[in-house]
Amino acid sequence: QVQLVESGGGLVQPGASLRLSCAASGRIFSIYTMAWYRQAPGKQRELVATITTVHSTTYTDSVKGRFTISRDNSANTVYLQMNSLKPEDTAVYYCNSLSGAFPWGQGTQVTVSS
């Protein structure tokens, strides 16, 4: 079964950058459209970005132009480069397939605060 481990979060000031990583066990990872999600306190989990097996990407409007999703199938890893971070980006960030096919990992906390 695929296991997902997110990392790279932290406490940063507005305007800073972070790069999140999601390492997946199992070769089956490469056949899925993968996604990054986030959940802020008291809010529902929201879809942030997706990347298909051929590296086509989509983004929610609030992160367009600031976040970049990428994947390295040879390393079974999905990345989320986050630039120009804002306080409203504060959340726990998770990765999964677009269909949520895998058990959810613990996520990685991103806190943007001055």
Side-chain angles (χ1 to χ4, degrees):
Q1 190 175 29
V2 172
Q3 292 184 320
L4 303 169
V5 179
E6 300 93 348
S7 63
L11 171 62
V12 297
Q13 294 188 338
S17 298
L18 283 173
R19 190 191 195 204
L20 307 184
S21 298
C22 171
S25 62
R27 294 184 176 181
I28 196 172
F29 160 89
S30 64
I31 69 173
Y32 284 85
T33 292
M34 294 299 293
W36 281 97
Y37 302 80
R38 65 185 179 187
Q39 187 166 20
K43 295 188 177 181
Q44 290 188 334
R45 187 174 293 166
E46 72 166 326
L47 179 63
V48 175
T50 69
I51 185 165
T52 69
T53 57
V54 293
H55 298 250
S56 294
T57 58
T58 66
Y59 300 92
T60 192
D61 285 347
S62 62
V63 307
K64 283 181 181 176
R66 300 189 298 121
F67 290 12
T68 303
I69 188 172
S70 60
R71 69 191 295 167
D72 182 347
N73 288 337
S74 65
N76 285 350
T77 303
V78 182
Y79 304 97
L80 187 67
Q81 177 67 43
M82 305 188 297
N83 299 328
S84 302
L85 282 161
K86 303 176 180 180
E88 51 264 43
D89 295 319
T90 295
V92 180
Y93 284 71
Y94 303 86
C95 72
N96 208 317
S97 74
L98 183 58
S99 61
F102 309 130
W104 291 90
Q106 293 190 335
T108 185
Q109 175 71 49
V110 172
T111 303
V112 185
S113 175
S114 55

